[in-house]
């Protein structure tokens, strides 16, 4: 609910749930809960992937 109402970011909510972000996204999708994935989230994902050497 907090993700849907944009009270928490996806990253914050996944940490709160004790799950990695991808697993958390799969959980939300399995429950048909939409997430708000904006430019800031995308840029952070790119930064993280580069830091991990995956981009």
């Amino acid at each position: 609910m907090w993700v849907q109402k944009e009270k928490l970011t996806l990253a914050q909510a996944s940490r709160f749930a004790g799950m990695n972000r991808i697993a958390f996204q799969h959980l939300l999708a399995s429950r048909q809960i939409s997430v708000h994935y904006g430019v800031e989230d995308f840029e952070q994902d790119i930064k993280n992937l580069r830091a991990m050497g995956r981009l």
Side-chain angles (χ1 to χ4, degrees):
M1 176 177 79
W2 292 338
V3 174
Q4 282 183 304
K5 295 184 182 232
E6 297 186 44
K7 301 294 182 187
L8 289 179
T9 66
L10 189 58
Q12 291 169 328
S14 65
R15 281 193 302 271
F16 183 76
M19 301 174 73
N20 73 51
R21 195 158 141 179
I22 300 298
F24 189 69
Q25 284 179 279
H26 284 282
L27 175 65
L28 294 177
S30 74
R31 296 181 180 185
Q32 299 180 345
I33 298 171
S34 63
V35 295
H36 303 279
Y37 187 79
V39 173
E40 184 178 308
D41 294 317
F42 176 73
E43 289 172 344
Q44 185 63 49
D45 284 346
I46 296 297
K47 181 180 174 184
N48 291 339
L49 288 169
R50 284 190 176 130
M52 295 167 48
R54 295 189 178 187
L55 246 186

